[in-house]
Amino acid sequence: MVSVLKFGGSSVASATNMSRVLDIVEKEAAKGKVVLVSSAISGCTDALLKGDEEALADMETRHRDIVTRLFTGVERKQVQEKADALFSDLRKAPREEQVTYGEILSTTILCAKLQAEGIRAAWLDSRELVVKGDEAETFKRIKLALEGIEAHVYVAPGFICRNREGKVDTLGRGGSDYTAALYAAALGAGSLQIWTDVPGIMTANPRQVSAARTIPRMSYGAALDMASHGAKVLYAPTVAPAMAAGIDIEIRNTFAPEGKYTVIGADKDPARWIGVASEGGHIRIVGAQSAGEAEPGNGRASALKALTEAGIAALDIRADGASLDVEVREAVLEQALRALHRAFFQELPVEEINLFIAGDGAVAGALLGMLRQTAGTVKERTGKLLRVVGRANSRKWGIDLGGRPQLSESGDYIAAILKSAPKGSLFVDVTDSETLYKRYVELLEAGIGIVSSNRRSIAVPYPEYAAMQAAARENGVPLRYETTVGAALPMLESIARGANSCNEILSIEAVVSCTLNQILGDYRPGGESFASLVRKAQAAGLTEPDPRLDLSGRDALRKLLILAREAGVQLEEGDVEITPVVPLADGSVEDFYTALEAQEEALSRAARDAELQGFRRRFVASLEKTPGGYKAGIGIRNVPPGHPAYHLRGTENAIIVRSAFHPYPLVIQGPGEGAREAASSILNDLLR
Ligand code: ADP
Ligand code: ASP
Ligand code: MG
């Protein structure tokens, strides 16, 4: 079997490079006969086309230099004489034939060197064998030549040929690749190797896109598509004869012979984008070429998005079979290529984050749904993949690092997590447990971060809170609980930012009880009774199972503790003066409602008084800096029309933060509750 190896201009550009070429050829020759096809040394064809004496003299020097370095003694003298004779012929040759001497010179030198090394090498004159536009005749002549000339390595110039009229001609710029394919097809070669200065056909021209990578295998069709749209690594006409003869084309790197390369063959391309090529302002994104396949995915939309994000206007984007054609101004070509390459070929490295979730209420349900729904977008936007590997309710738990945990085990969930959690895992507390926080420090110390929506876990006595914070810091893992106040509203983060930059907080007013905002907002003296509104809220699931927890201000107290501590104030429950909405009766929930009915008179009077003065009643948790330290209180306040809390609707929340830097307060207002809002806030804590 014959192997055909073609080397491009840069592969033979110097004596050193030619030595590399000969190493590669000799290795192949150890396996069988070789046809070595070579281009002219780099820059030579351009110089010959230019044709002035300066360009010719420069080429003469470069060739002389190569001969001097490659040969010694008599051989040097003989080869030098041959080269001199060729330059003399070249100077006498008709203008249009001069360009053909580059390949004659390079192959003459290579052939002589092989012979000097004792290899049976013969030079083939491609001008007599390759007939432009007549492959059948070309094949016949090549076969005949090899039958007639006894040698082990045949050295043939690429690019040059004769046309049907018998005149010396060329196969077009880059044509040596095609020469090699013709030799390979004619001889039924076992191997066709195009050796160049890059590691194969890459996802883009590496000179334009440094992130380009080698495409290991591709179909003839895809290679042809790349080649005919500007990927000059392969001369497009090369594909047809190789394909017709069923010969794979390897594109290899002379400068890293053992490195990555491309094999082009009768493969079916994998169903994804192959590569990007360009010519002028025209960009071609080549898609998988198999019968009848349309462009994979929504290529046009992706291309438009990528360009828009890069601030580039696409003049036109259209699908052409499996490929996409994109038109941009030539001035922004490289920028556009990089943006498109990034979008189509550079997968973001994905960071997997394992989640151990505790809790099975509405928030847990919403979170699981949201994780499923957003997985794709989150991965694309952040490069993170959130995987649920542990789940638990108050009785059962399950852990499956494969991502399908079932609630099948009983016993200590936390102990099981500590045993099995991979590095970088997060524990997600969406319970309303009063005791789970006692395990936080253990988890944090084991390098497991915590995201919590459970304010009972955070509004704990200050020393315990401080211990959790310290454990998180010391172990370099997160402890986040943005959801615990104002659900999806970024309240804690905003306060922490102010505190971090030493913007001293003068006061915080937090209207953070959704239940009470709703009830107080709906309550009209003379209208529906207060007790009845509370009952409705309870029926709607807006209150705790025992509504006294809401009316007592206990929940608001927890939120105030969390807010204050975020501001750097070591507030404890006992520091807060609470005035409940109504005096709260002991006993059953029903006893409480009966007692509440009895309060109607007083409540309605207070509401009427406020209304007469133009005030609205809001349940406010506040923290205020006084000369004697921070003072904290919770209770109903009458707010005047100018106050940011005056216009709150329904279950909306707001915090109003006054600080030393600014004359006006920071106000954050918006939906403060809901399972979806909580889930979205947890998700963002998980991704931070
Ligand atoms: P040779 O002289 O070996 O024939 P060429 O200069 O004709 O080499 O082709 C190789 C060049 O093709 C590379 O140096 C590279 O700049 C360019 N090129 C364009 N597109 C691609 C691509 N998709 N993959 C690799 N190289 C490419
Ligand atoms: N030497 C020719 C050119 O520069 C042919 C080739 O290199 O393939 O176009
Ligand atoms: Mg080339």
PDB file of all heavy atoms in Angstrom, residues 358-378:
ATOM      1  N   ALA A 358     -33.459  19.802  53.389  1.00  0.00           N
ATOM      2  CA  ALA A 358     -34.274  19.348  54.515  1.00  0.00           C
ATOM      3  C   ALA A 358     -35.559  20.153  54.498  1.00  0.00           C
ATOM      4  O   ALA A 358     -35.514  21.378  54.410  1.00  0.00           O
ATOM      5  CB  ALA A 358     -33.531  19.557  55.833  1.00  0.00           C
ATOM      6  N   GLY A 359     -36.693  19.440  54.573  1.00  0.00           N
ATOM      7  CA  GLY A 359     -37.982  20.117  54.580  1.00  0.00           C
ATOM      8  C   GLY A 359     -38.825  19.644  53.421  1.00  0.00           C
ATOM      9  O   GLY A 359     -38.294  19.373  52.340  1.00  0.00           O
ATOM     10  N   ASP A 360     -40.131  19.534  53.642  1.00  0.00           N
ATOM     11  CA  ASP A 360     -40.988  19.077  52.542  1.00  0.00           C
ATOM     12  C   ASP A 360     -42.277  19.884  52.466  1.00  0.00           C
ATOM     13  O   ASP A 360     -43.300  19.408  52.019  1.00  0.00           O
ATOM     14  CB  ASP A 360     -41.291  17.587  52.680  1.00  0.00           C
ATOM     15  CG  ASP A 360     -42.136  17.283  53.914  1.00  0.00           C
ATOM     16  OD1 ASP A 360     -42.242  18.177  54.789  1.00  0.00           O
ATOM     17  OD2 ASP A 360     -42.691  16.182  53.995  1.00  0.00           O
ATOM     18  N   GLY A 361     -42.199  21.143  52.890  1.00  0.00           N
ATOM     19  CA  GLY A 361     -43.379  22.007  52.819  1.00  0.00           C
ATOM     20  C   GLY A 361     -43.504  22.661  51.457  1.00  0.00           C
ATOM     21  O   GLY A 361     -42.890  22.237  50.483  1.00  0.00           O
ATOM     22  N   ALA A 362     -44.299  23.742  51.430  1.00  0.00           N
ATOM     23  CA  ALA A 362     -44.583  24.429  50.172  1.00  0.00           C
ATOM     24  C   ALA A 362     -43.308  25.008  49.555  1.00  0.00           C
ATOM     25  O   ALA A 362     -43.111  24.957  48.337  1.00  0.00           O
ATOM     26  CB  ALA A 362     -45.585  25.554  50.421  1.00  0.00           C
ATOM     27  N   VAL A 363     -42.416  25.537  50.403  1.00  0.00           N
ATOM     28  CA  VAL A 363     -41.195  26.154  49.873  1.00  0.00           C
ATOM     29  C   VAL A 363     -40.292  25.085  49.253  1.00  0.00           C
ATOM     30  O   VAL A 363     -39.736  25.269  48.169  1.00  0.00           O
ATOM     31  CB  VAL A 363     -40.449  26.939  50.975  1.00  0.00           C
ATOM     32  CG1 VAL A 363     -39.118  27.444  50.452  1.00  0.00           C
ATOM     33  CG2 VAL A 363     -41.309  28.097  51.461  1.00  0.00           C
ATOM     34  N   ALA A 364     -40.191  23.929  49.941  1.00  0.00           N
ATOM     35  CA  ALA A 364     -39.378  22.838  49.400  1.00  0.00           C
ATOM     36  C   ALA A 364     -39.928  22.410  48.045  1.00  0.00           C
ATOM     37  O   ALA A 364     -39.167  22.221  47.089  1.00  0.00           O
ATOM     38  CB  ALA A 364     -39.361  21.658  50.367  1.00  0.00           C
ATOM     39  N   GLY A 365     -41.244  22.292  47.957  1.00  0.00           N
ATOM     40  CA  GLY A 365     -41.878  21.881  46.698  1.00  0.00           C
ATOM     41  C   GLY A 365     -41.569  22.883  45.594  1.00  0.00           C
ATOM     42  O   GLY A 365     -41.181  22.510  44.483  1.00  0.00           O
ATOM     43  N   ALA A 366     -41.717  24.170  45.930  1.00  0.00           N
ATOM     44  CA  ALA A 366     -41.464  25.206  44.926  1.00  0.00           C
ATOM     45  C   ALA A 366     -39.995  25.196  44.514  1.00  0.00           C
ATOM     46  O   ALA A 366     -39.660  25.371  43.339  1.00  0.00           O
ATOM     47  CB  ALA A 366     -41.843  26.578  45.479  1.00  0.00           C
ATOM     48  N   LEU A 367     -39.121  24.964  45.483  1.00  0.00           N
ATOM     49  CA  LEU A 367     -37.681  24.950  45.186  1.00  0.00           C
ATOM     50  C   LEU A 367     -37.326  23.797  44.246  1.00  0.00           C
ATOM     51  O   LEU A 367     -36.621  23.983  43.256  1.00  0.00           O
ATOM     52  CB  LEU A 367     -36.877  24.851  46.488  1.00  0.00           C
ATOM     53  CG  LEU A 367     -35.359  24.768  46.311  1.00  0.00           C
ATOM     54  CD1 LEU A 367     -34.807  26.032  45.659  1.00  0.00           C
ATOM     55  CD2 LEU A 367     -34.662  24.526  47.654  1.00  0.00           C
ATOM     56  N   LEU A 368     -37.845  22.610  44.542  1.00  0.00           N
ATOM     57  CA  LEU A 368     -37.543  21.459  43.685  1.00  0.00           C
ATOM     58  C   LEU A 368     -38.039  21.702  42.262  1.00  0.00           C
ATOM     59  O   LEU A 368     -37.336  21.429  41.289  1.00  0.00           O
ATOM     60  CB  LEU A 368     -38.175  20.186  44.262  1.00  0.00           C
ATOM     61  CG  LEU A 368     -37.525  19.684  45.554  1.00  0.00           C
ATOM     62  CD1 LEU A 368     -38.366  18.562  46.176  1.00  0.00           C
ATOM     63  CD2 LEU A 368     -36.105  19.191  45.298  1.00  0.00           C
ATOM     64  N   GLY A 369     -39.252  22.266  42.167  1.00  0.00           N
ATOM     65  CA  GLY A 369     -39.806  22.572  40.842  1.00  0.00           C
ATOM     66  C   GLY A 369     -38.923  23.574  40.113  1.00  0.00           C
ATOM     67  O   GLY A 369     -38.604  23.411  38.935  1.00  0.00           O
ATOM     68  N   MET A 370     -38.496  24.600  40.835  1.00  0.00           N
ATOM     69  CA  MET A 370     -37.695  25.650  40.211  1.00  0.00           C
ATOM     70  C   MET A 370     -36.324  25.127  39.786  1.00  0.00           C
ATOM     71  O   MET A 370     -35.808  25.490  38.735  1.00  0.00           O
ATOM     72  CB  MET A 370     -37.551  26.814  41.186  1.00  0.00           C
ATOM     73  CG  MET A 370     -37.019  28.072  40.530  1.00  0.00           C
ATOM     74  SD  MET A 370     -37.089  29.489  41.654  1.00  0.00           S
ATOM     75  CE  MET A 370     -38.825  29.872  41.674  1.00  0.00           C
ATOM     76  N   LEU A 371     -35.746  24.249  40.602  1.00  0.00           N
ATOM     77  CA  LEU A 371     -34.437  23.676  40.255  1.00  0.00           C
ATOM     78  C   LEU A 371     -34.535  22.900  38.938  1.00  0.00           C
ATOM     79  O   LEU A 371     -33.677  23.002  38.074  1.00  0.00           O
ATOM     80  CB  LEU A 371     -33.934  22.752  41.368  1.00  0.00           C
ATOM     81  CG  LEU A 371     -33.413  23.445  42.627  1.00  0.00           C
ATOM     82  CD1 LEU A 371     -33.190  22.429  43.753  1.00  0.00           C
ATOM     83  CD2 LEU A 371     -32.127  24.211  42.335  1.00  0.00           C
ATOM     84  N   ARG A 372     -35.625  22.140  38.814  1.00  0.00           N
ATOM     85  CA  ARG A 372     -35.808  21.375  37.574  1.00  0.00           C
ATOM     86  C   ARG A 372     -35.982  22.310  36.382  1.00  0.00           C
ATOM     87  O   ARG A 372     -35.355  22.160  35.352  1.00  0.00           O
ATOM     88  CB  ARG A 372     -37.059  20.487  37.692  1.00  0.00           C
ATOM     89  CG  ARG A 372     -36.785  19.113  38.264  1.00  0.00           C
ATOM     90  CD  ARG A 372     -37.976  18.185  38.048  1.00  0.00           C
ATOM     91  NE  ARG A 372     -39.197  18.671  38.690  1.00  0.00           N
ATOM     92  CZ  ARG A 372     -39.510  18.436  39.970  1.00  0.00           C
ATOM     93  NH1 ARG A 372     -38.701  17.704  40.721  1.00  0.00           N
ATOM     94  NH2 ARG A 372     -40.623  18.906  40.486  1.00  0.00           N
ATOM     95  N   GLN A 373     -36.825  23.313  36.602  1.00  0.00           N
ATOM     96  CA  GLN A 373     -37.203  24.201  35.513  1.00  0.00           C
ATOM     97  C   GLN A 373     -36.037  25.064  35.029  1.00  0.00           C
ATOM     98  O   GLN A 373     -35.942  25.380  33.849  1.00  0.00           O
ATOM     99  CB  GLN A 373     -38.301  25.115  36.047  1.00  0.00           C
ATOM    100  CG  GLN A 373     -39.356  25.453  35.048  1.00  0.00           C
ATOM    101  CD  GLN A 373     -40.324  26.447  35.674  1.00  0.00           C
ATOM    102  OE1 GLN A 373     -40.406  26.596  36.900  1.00  0.00           O
ATOM    103  NE2 GLN A 373     -41.045  27.143  34.841  1.00  0.00           N
ATOM    104  N   THR A 374     -35.172  25.457  35.952  1.00  0.00           N
ATOM    105  CA  THR A 374     -34.149  26.439  35.596  1.00  0.00           C
ATOM    106  C   THR A 374     -32.788  25.810  35.321  1.00  0.00           C
ATOM    107  O   THR A 374     -31.852  26.531  34.974  1.00  0.00           O
ATOM    108  CB  THR A 374     -33.957  27.456  36.728  1.00  0.00           C
ATOM    109  OG1 THR A 374     -33.583  26.751  37.918  1.00  0.00           O
ATOM    110  CG2 THR A 374     -35.212  28.257  36.983  1.00  0.00           C
ATOM    111  N   ALA A 375     -32.697  24.479  35.449  1.00  0.00           N
ATOM    112  CA  ALA A 375     -31.370  23.842  35.360  1.00  0.00           C
ATOM    113  C   ALA A 375     -30.601  24.272  34.105  1.00  0.00           C
ATOM    114  O   ALA A 375     -29.433  24.648  34.176  1.00  0.00           O
ATOM    115  CB  ALA A 375     -31.507  22.331  35.413  1.00  0.00           C
ATOM    116  N   GLY A 376     -31.294  24.255  32.964  1.00  0.00           N
ATOM    117  CA  GLY A 376     -30.633  24.584  31.702  1.00  0.00           C
ATOM    118  C   GLY A 376     -30.122  26.021  31.679  1.00  0.00           C
ATOM    119  O   GLY A 376     -28.950  26.277  31.389  1.00  0.00           O
ATOM    120  N   THR A 377     -31.005  26.943  32.000  1.00  0.00           N
ATOM    121  CA  THR A 377     -30.629  28.361  31.968  1.00  0.00           C
ATOM    122  C   THR A 377     -29.547  28.662  32.988  1.00  0.00           C
ATOM    123  O   THR A 377     -28.608  29.401  32.701  1.00  0.00           O
ATOM    124  CB  THR A 377     -31.833  29.266  32.336  1.00  0.00           C
ATOM    125  OG1 THR A 377     -32.970  28.459  32.519  1.00  0.00           O
ATOM    126  CG2 THR A 377     -32.055  30.317  31.294  1.00  0.00           C
ATOM    127  N   VAL A 378     -29.686  28.086  34.170  1.00  0.00           N
ATOM    128  CA  VAL A 378     -28.705  28.343  35.224  1.00  0.00           C
ATOM    129  C   VAL A 378     -27.335  27.857  34.775  1.00  0.00           C
ATOM    130  O   VAL A 378     -26.331  28.545  34.929  1.00  0.00           O
ATOM    131  CB  VAL A 378     -29.133  27.661  36.539  1.00  0.00           C
ATOM    132  CG1 VAL A 378     -27.961  27.517  37.499  1.00  0.00           C
ATOM    133  CG2 VAL A 378     -30.258  28.456  37.195  1.00  0.00           C
TER     134      VAL A 378
END
